[in-house]
């Protein structure tokens, strides 16, 4: 009743009505309040005095005494009311906030595969409202192009589906008694929308539908603390949190929940994802030659990583795609191997060997067969385009005298079907070239004649037989034509006599400190070359069916008995083999060294007695070593037959990492001036262009970078000049930041701990329907107070005061008391 009277009084005094979602609470307040003791003493004293006086009044009856006493008491109270300067104070209250936090970190892209089909089916139904949008449907089709039945329902889609289901019933019901704020939380908490009125609902739902899981980190604790800080003046009545519970950076969720508990804000987490350890197989880092030879063994090596499958038997297959086909079902299995899944975090290398027979551009796929309930299967395979050639490699072998290596190597290469050998024996008489079908009378004098070869084996050759222009041509054969030159050390000329000649610039070693130890009387102990880490990974030394067997063969080869001491390599050179005991200023003495130079490649062998490796083995290992060395040296030349090539600094990137591009024209004459343009296309989206500038100090290399790219598979092609054919292409993949993929199972204990600490409750998506009835009953929160309206000095109060005095005077007059 009192509230009704005060409300009517506020209306009468012109107080502005409450806005939508608000309420007003009028009450009387005293600007000059009396002390409680004084007030009680004054009122009670006055009332007691009035009662005592009228009790001893004998001239009127009891009824009149009571009326007069009541009027006098009312006057006293009214006087106190006026002296206290009573005012009408109006407080405005509003609906409490309720916040919904949606985890939009990259881990929410994960589509969990559940063991029980009925659970998977229910979650697919829950996510249906989110997948109904055209963008979601397209994404689902892209995620499961083969239609293999695996669920494509992501964690974010489940969260969106719970918010959107039943015509967004959750938000509609909450909006009736709350101001609903929706946040996206990953690297930080950002307000997505606020639903204050029914009209705000549709724009908010549109933003929820458009939400994408792109956050580089998950900072759940920081996000929760940020929301509580933003609403510190009016803490939310509850916080609903859609997340998998994994914090990858910042404050833990359970720690931030302590602040929510102190503020009396319960947290209601809805756990997304499976709490089971993630199950995933992944193939990475495929190693295979870009150019290979028909009917030769080609090794495909890749790293296999596994999570949740340790000890399981797996099958890795190599497939070859039919020319002109884009249908994966037409891929033909050409090799396979059974492997045991490695421990999580310990990838192991797998190797498959195939002997291609069809020449041309061939597409090969190495794939580990998918297993049930894998997290994702698009990382189970790697594709690579390889050029298969059948023509022979043209090799020129130059020596001064027919030393042992020359005799054995020449004899072997003449019999090798993949080698077209020509030899130059500088000290021979003219009749030698007429008697030997492989021999040339002299070193090629014309540049075009030299450039017809793929590899030059430059043995212990005396440069006095060569002109300055012939040596210049050999240098240009490497730098411009992309050929390979292998210098094989000798005791007489190579390389010590090459100081000051154009050949010195080609060598990957420094000649300043080089010497022949036997020429100065130093004895050489038998030794076995030791492979460096780079050497172990190089195809030259693949002497067996796999790396382990190859290393065993290498270590069991016969020892060598001579070497040239060249302790310093050039800065860009790579050491493949070194002396096991002889130490130089830069470490162990290099024996096999190579470097890229211009468009080609140069190698140096610091020994000449590899023919010892024929002992009891014939050409089995000696021949394999030399054929693989020649092919390694020829690869730059063979790849150089492509008019241009695109390279990226890696095949896989994390989102946010810059992507470095490099376009090289092996023939500088084909390179455009100034810049080239790449077309970069993410599968399923339109292309974008990137301009690459000419690299400083080069005529045929262009470089540039893409600052970052969204996750997905990308194809790159060169927008070529009209004369360029075929058009070079490349591909790469952008993935979620590694932290978002390290721990991907739902952290249920953390979510339960946060809920219990704050008085909330943990839900799974399947029991989240109970959330609405479990939320605390909302209470109004104060907003502000209107300026006070004075009552003590208003006309109605004055009229009431005068009316009471007049009434008392009239009664006293009529009773003849005055």
């Amino acid at each position: 009743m009192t509230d009704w009277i005060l409300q009517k009084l506020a209306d009468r005094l012109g107080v502005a009505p409450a806005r939508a979602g608000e309420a007003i609470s009028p009450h009387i307040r005293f600007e000059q309040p009396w002390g409680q003791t004084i007030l009680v003493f004054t009122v009670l004293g006055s009332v007691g005095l009035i009662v005592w006086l009228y009790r001893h009044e004998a001239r009127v009856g009891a009824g009149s005494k009571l009326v007069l006493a009541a009027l006098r008491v009312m006057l006293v109270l009214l006087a106190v009311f006026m002296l206290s300067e009573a005012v009408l104070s109006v407080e405005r209250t509003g609906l409490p906030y309720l916040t919904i936090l949606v985890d939009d970190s990259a881990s929410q892209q994960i589509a969990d595969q559940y063991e029980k089909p009925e659970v998977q089916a229910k979650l697919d139904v829950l996510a249906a409202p989110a997948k109904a949008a055209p963008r979601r449907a397209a994404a689902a089709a892209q995620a499961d192009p083969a239609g293999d039945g695996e669920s494509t329902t992501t964690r974010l889609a489940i969260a969106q589906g719970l918010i959107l289901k039943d015509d967004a019933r959750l938000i509609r019901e909450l909006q009736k008694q709350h101001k609903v704020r929706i946040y996206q939380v990953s690297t930080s908490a950002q307000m997505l929308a606020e639903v204050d009125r029914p009209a705000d609902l549709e724009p908010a739902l549109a933003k929820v539908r458009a939400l994408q899981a792109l956050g580089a980190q998950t900072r759940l604790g920081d996000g929760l603390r940020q929301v509580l800080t933003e609403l510190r003046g009016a803490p939310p009545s509850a916080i609903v949190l859609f997340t998998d519970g994994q914090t990858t950076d910042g404050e833990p969720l359970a720690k931030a929940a302590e602040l929510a508990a102190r503020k009396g804000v319960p947290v209601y987490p809805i756990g997304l994802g499976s709490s089971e350890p993630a199950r995933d197989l992944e193939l990475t880092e495929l190693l295979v030659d870009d150019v290979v030879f028909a009917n030769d063994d080609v090794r495909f090596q890749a790293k296999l990583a596994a999570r949740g499958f340790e000890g399981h038997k797996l099958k890795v297959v190599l497939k070859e795609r039919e020319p002109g086909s884009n249908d994966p079902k037409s891929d033909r299995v050409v090799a396979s191997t059974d492997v045991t899944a490695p421990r999580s975090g310990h990838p192991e290398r797998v190797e498959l060997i195939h002997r291609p027979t069809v020449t041309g551009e061939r597409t090969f796929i190495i794939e580990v067969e998918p297993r049930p309930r894998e997290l994702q299967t698009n990382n189970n395979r790697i594709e690579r385009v390889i050029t298969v050639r059948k023509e022979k490699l043209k090799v020129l072998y130059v020596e001064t005298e027919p030393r042992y290596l020359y005799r054995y190597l020449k004899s072997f290469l003449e019999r090798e079907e993949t080698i077209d050998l020509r030899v130059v024996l500088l000290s021979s008489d003219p009749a030698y070239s007429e008697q030997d079908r492989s021999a040339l009378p002299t070193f090629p004098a014309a540049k075009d004649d030299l450039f017809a070869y793929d590899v030059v084996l430059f043995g212990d050759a005396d440069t006095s037989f060569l002109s300055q222009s012939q040596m210049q041509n050999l240098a240009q054969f490497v730098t411009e034509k992309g050929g390979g030159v292998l210098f094989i050390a000798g005791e007489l000329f190579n390389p010590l006599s090459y100081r000051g000649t154009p050949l010195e610039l080609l060598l990957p070693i420094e000649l300043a400190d080089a010497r022949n130890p036997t020429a100065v009387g130093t004895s050489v102990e038998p030794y076995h070359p030791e492979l460096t880490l780079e050497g172990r990974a190089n195809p030259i030394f693949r002497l067996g069916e796999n790396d382990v067997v190859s290393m065993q063969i290498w270590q069991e080869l016969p020892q060598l008995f001579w070497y040239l001491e060249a302790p310093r390599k050039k800065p860009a050179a790579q050491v493949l083999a070194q002396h096991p005991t002889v130490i130089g200023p830069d470490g162990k003495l290099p024996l096999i060294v190579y470097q890229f130079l211009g468009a080609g490649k140069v190698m140096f062998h610091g020994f000449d007695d590899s023919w010892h490796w024929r002992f009891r083995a014939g050409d089995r290992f000696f021949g394999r070593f030399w054929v693989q060395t020649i092919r390694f040296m020829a690869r730059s030349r063979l790849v150089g037959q492509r008019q241009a090539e695109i390279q990226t600094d890696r095949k896989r990137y994390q989102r946010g990492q810059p992507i470095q591009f490099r376009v090289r024209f092996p023939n500088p004459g084909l390179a455009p001036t100034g810049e080239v343009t790449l077309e970069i296309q993410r599968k399923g989206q339109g292309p974008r262009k990137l301009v690459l500038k000419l690299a400083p100090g080069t005529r045929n290399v262009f470089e540039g970078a893409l600052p970052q790219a969204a996750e997905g598979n990308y194809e790159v092609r060169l927008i070529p000049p009209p004369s360029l054919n075929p058009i070079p292409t490349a591909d790469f993949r952008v993935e979620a930041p590694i932290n978002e993929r390290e721990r991907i199972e739902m952290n249920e204990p953390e979510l339960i701990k946060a809920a219990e600490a704050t008085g909330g409750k943990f839900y799974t998506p399947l029991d989240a329907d109970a959330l609405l009835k479990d939320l605390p009953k909302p209470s109004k929160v104060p907003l502000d107070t209107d300026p006070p309206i004075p009552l003590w000095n208003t006309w109605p109060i004055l009229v009431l005061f005068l009316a009471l005095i007049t009434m008392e005077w009239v009664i006293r007059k009529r009773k003849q008391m005055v």
Side-chain angles (χ1 to χ4, degrees):
M1 183 66 177
T2 304
D3 291 341
W4 181 83
I5 294 173
L6 291 174
Q7 187 66 52
K8 290 298 182 181
L9 178 60
D11 294 341
R12 188 74 177 176
L13 294 175
V15 173
R19 294 186 293 269
E22 292 183 356
I24 60 173
S25 176
H27 62 275
I28 303 297
R29 181 166 58 84
F30 299 99
E31 294 290 302
Q32 300 293 334
W34 292 19
Q36 186 174 359
T37 303
I38 297 175
L39 179 62
V40 171
F41 178 79
T42 302
V43 172
L44 292 181
S46 299
V47 171
L49 179 61
I50 292 170
V51 171
W52 184 81
L53 290 173
Y54 280 107
R55 187 175 180 183
H56 294 81
E57 179 65 58
R59 288 175 290 179
V60 293
S64 297
K65 290 181 182 180
L66 183 61
V67 171
L68 289 172
L71 289 173
R72 187 64 61 89
V73 170
M74 292 174 64
L75 283 170
V76 170
L77 293 176
L78 189 57
V80 171
F81 181 84
M82 296 172 68
L83 291 174
S84 299
E85 298 185 7
V87 297
L88 181 68
S89 178
V90 179
E91 292 183 354
R92 296 183 180 272
T93 58
L95 296 176
Y97 281 105
L98 185 141
T99 60
I100 298 176
L101 275 62
V102 181
D103 186 347
D104 69 331
S105 62
S107 62
Q108 304 311 299
Q109 295 184 17
I110 294 171
D112 298 270
Q113 306 299 321
Y114 292 85
E115 183 175 5
K116 296 181 179 180
E118 60 272 19
V119 172
Q120 190 73 69
K122 291 178 181 178
L123 292 174
D124 291 344
V125 171
L126 284 179
K131 288 186 174 183
R135 180 178 62 81
R136 293 289 175 188
Q142 181 178 349
D144 187 22
D148 56 11
E150 288 192 357
S151 174
T152 59
T153 298
T154 66
R155 297 174 179 182
L156 179 60
I158 294 173
Q160 292 168 313
L162 288 171
I163 294 173
L164 299 172
K165 68 176 290 193
D166 298 334
D167 194 25
R169 175 174 172 265
L170 175 66
I171 306 296
R172 292 182 188 277
E173 291 297 324
L174 292 176
Q175 186 271 326
K176 293 177 181 178
Q177 300 184 73
H178 303 84
K179 290 182 179 180
V180 181
R181 277 194 177 183
I182 305 174
Y183 288 81
Q184 59 186 97
V185 56
S186 52
T187 54
S188 63
Q190 300 179 12
M191 191 172 74
L192 195 65
E194 181 170 332
V195 182
D196 194 4
R197 301 166 299 167
D200 299 331
L201 184 62
E202 285 306 321
L205 296 180
K207 292 182 179 180
V208 171
R209 292 187 186 97
L211 194 60
Q212 298 186 56
L214 299 176
Q217 300 285 342
T218 308
R219 296 188 173 99
L220 295 177
D222 293 346
L224 180 61
R225 184 175 291 274
Q226 179 184 336
V227 170
L228 292 171
T229 302
E230 288 182 7
L231 299 175
R232 58 184 176 271
S237 63
I239 293 177
V240 179
L241 177 59
F242 292 90
T243 181
D244 57 20
Q246 292 291 3
T247 298
T248 61
D249 194 17
E251 184 178 21
L253 177 62
K255 184 68 175 177
E258 296 175 4
L259 174 63
R262 291 195 297 270
K263 291 179 173 286
V265 180
V267 177
Y268 293 83
I270 299 177
L272 304 175
S274 171
S275 58
E276 299 177 359
R279 298 162 61 91
D280 191 32
L281 298 172
E282 181 180 22
L283 285 172
T284 60
E285 299 181 25
L286 176 60
L287 298 177
V288 63
D289 295 337
D290 292 331
V291 180
V292 299
F293 298 92
N295 299 311
D296 271 4
D297 287 341
V298 180
R299 288 173 167 81
F300 294 79
Q301 292 182 327
K303 280 188 176 179
L304 172 64
R307 284 188 291 179
F309 291 104
E310 180 180 350
H312 287 223
K313 297 297 182 182
L314 307 174
K315 181 180 285 293
V316 180
V317 298
L318 178 67
K319 299 179 180 179
E320 184 175 2
R321 179 158 297 164
E322 293 298 327
S325 173
N326 290 321
D327 183 8
K329 295 181 179 179
S330 68
D331 296 344
R332 180 171 56 92
V333 177
V334 295
S336 65
T337 184
D338 294 324
V339 298
T340 301
R343 290 184 297 133
S344 178
H346 295 78
E348 293 183 359
R349 188 164 294 281
V350 295
E351 182 178 81
L352 292 166
I353 300 177
H354 171 57
R355 181 173 292 180
T357 57
V358 181
T359 59
E361 299 280 339
R362 310 292 297 171
T363 300
F364 291 90
I365 304 99
I366 184 170
E367 178 180 22
V368 56
E369 293 185 348
R371 303 287 291 178
R373 296 171 52 225
E374 258 198 87
L375 176 66
Q376 54 184 340
T377 57
N378 59 354
N379 59 353
N380 287 37
R381 52 189 279 136
I382 308 176
E383 293 188 12
R384 184 66 55 85
V385 177
I386 296 173
T387 301
V388 182
R389 292 186 55 181
K390 194 167 187 178
E391 61 269 24
K392 294 183 176 182
L393 284 177
K394 299 189 69 175
V395 178
L396 177 64
Y397 186 12
V398 184
E399 285 279 6
T400 301
E401 299 286 346
R403 55 179 174 167
Y404 281 112
L405 178 63
Y406 171 82
R407 296 172 185 177
Y408 289 117
L409 185 54
K410 174 180 179 294
S411 175
F412 168 74
L413 294 179
E414 285 176 333
R415 301 191 308 272
E416 173 60 37
E417 295 180 352
T418 63
I419 302 294
D420 182 6
L421 179 68
R422 291 294 182 268
V423 298
V424 175
L425 201 58
L426 297 174
S427 64
S428 66
D429 55 43
Y432 174 69
S433 62
E434 297 175 359
Q435 299 169 0
D436 191 322
R437 61 183 177 86
S438 300
L440 298 177
T442 60
F443 189 86
K447 181 186 293 187
D448 290 342
D449 292 339
L450 179 61
F451 281 18
Y453 292 95
D454 297 307
V455 176
V456 174
L457 304 179
F458 207 79
D460 198 17
D462 184 357
T463 55
S464 65
F465 288 92
L466 303 179
S467 67
Q468 193 75 9
S469 63
Q470 285 175 314
M471 289 187 283
Q472 290 285 3
N473 289 345
L474 187 60
Q476 293 175 7
F477 169 74
V478 175
T479 58
E480 295 184 8
K481 195 61 177 177
V485 174
L486 170 56
F487 289 93
I488 308 170
E491 297 190 47
L492 300 177
F493 306 106
N494 188 346
L496 299 181
S497 67
Y498 301 162
R499 291 189 179 99
T501 71
L503 301 184
E504 182 179 8
L505 301 177
L506 292 179
L507 287 165
I509 57 170
E510 299 286 358
L511 294 182
D513 299 327
R515 70 184 186 121
N516 179 1
T518 59
V520 295
T522 303
S523 62
V524 175
E525 297 294 330
Y527 68 96
H528 193 287
E530 177 184 273
L531 296 184
T532 63
L533 290 176
E534 292 81 4
R536 293 176 185 178
N538 195 285
I540 290 176
F541 306 99
R542 293 175 187 164
L543 303 178
E545 59 185 15
N546 54 49
D547 289 345
V548 175
V549 176
S550 294
M551 279 302 302
Q552 183 178 354
I553 293 172
W554 178 259
Q555 292 167 359
E556 294 176 354
L557 289 175
Q559 292 180 316
L560 304 181
F561 299 91
W562 179 82
Y563 60 83
L564 182 108
E565 190 173 316
R568 295 186 185 275
K569 68 178 183 67
K570 290 183 178 176
Q574 294 284 334
V575 179
L576 300 181
Q578 59 196 9
H579 198 287
T581 58
V582 177
I583 307 297
D586 294 335
K588 291 184 177 181
L589 181 71
L591 295 176
I592 300 180
V593 192
Y594 83 97
Q595 68 177 357
F596 288 96
L597 194 63
K601 194 182 299 178
V602 182
M603 180 177 285
F604 174 75
H605 282 194
F607 52 90
D608 68 347
D609 49 351
S610 60
W611 52 272
H612 287 295
W613 296 340
R614 300 182 71 257
F615 181 69
R616 294 182 177 177
D619 291 330
R620 182 181 178 187
F621 303 125
F622 171 80
R624 184 175 297 176
F625 170 80
W626 278 103
V627 167
Q628 292 176 170
T629 299
I630 290 171
R631 289 175 179 169
F632 176 74
M633 297 303 296
R635 194 157 295 117
S636 295
R637 174 72 180 273
L638 299 180
V639 174
Q641 291 186 357
R642 302 175 184 176
Q643 294 175 319
E645 60 182 358
I646 302 173
Q647 298 174 343
T648 55
D649 57 332
R650 64 187 70 180
K651 284 291 185 182
R652 306 170 79 89
Y653 299 86
Q654 294 180 35
R655 182 171 17 87
Q657 287 182 326
I659 302 161
Q660 303 289 338
F661 294 95
R662 186 173 184 261
V663 173
R664 185 178 75 91
F665 291 82
N667 186 348
L670 298 177
T673 58
E675 62 185 33
V676 297
T677 303
L678 294 180
E679 187 176 83
I680 305 168
Q681 184 170 12
R682 182 184 179 189
K683 291 185 178 180
Q685 295 187 354
R688 59 191 296 187
K689 294 181 179 180
L690 178 68
V691 176
L692 274 58
K693 300 293 184 181
L694 189 65
T698 67
R699 293 187 298 131
N700 62 333
V701 178
F702 299 81
E703 296 177 338
L706 190 66
Q708 60 180 349
E711 295 172 30
N713 295 310
Y714 289 80
E715 294 178 347
V716 186
R717 64 188 296 271
L718 180 65
I719 299 179
S723 60
L724 193 61
N725 186 38
I727 298 173
T729 60
D731 60 84
F732 63 92
R733 176 177 174 79
V734 178
E735 299 177 335
I738 189 168
N739 283 348
E740 287 298 308
R741 295 286 182 176
E742 283 182 346
R743 295 173 296 162
I744 57 176
E745 63 272 15
M746 178 178 65
N747 192 349
E748 185 173 335
E750 181 83 352
L751 297 178
I752 293 176
K753 185 177 180 181
E756 291 178 347
T758 59
K761 185 178 178 181
F762 168 76
Y763 302 89
T764 68
L766 297 181
D767 56 24
D769 286 342
L771 173 67
L772 281 174
K773 68 179 182 60
D774 291 340
L775 288 173
K777 195 171 183 180
S779 57
K780 298 286 186 177
V781 295
L783 299 177
D784 55 17
T785 302
D786 288 1
I789 301 174
L791 299 176
W792 65 276
N793 59 354
T794 58
W795 281 106
I797 296 299
L798 179 60
V799 169
L800 178 60
F801 188 82
L802 293 176
L804 292 173
I805 291 178
T806 303
M807 188 180 299
E808 182 193 25
W809 184 83
V810 169
I811 294 174
R812 290 174 65 86
K813 183 72 174 176
R814 293 183 63 181
K815 298 296 182 180
Q816 298 181 355
M817 296 178 66
V818 293

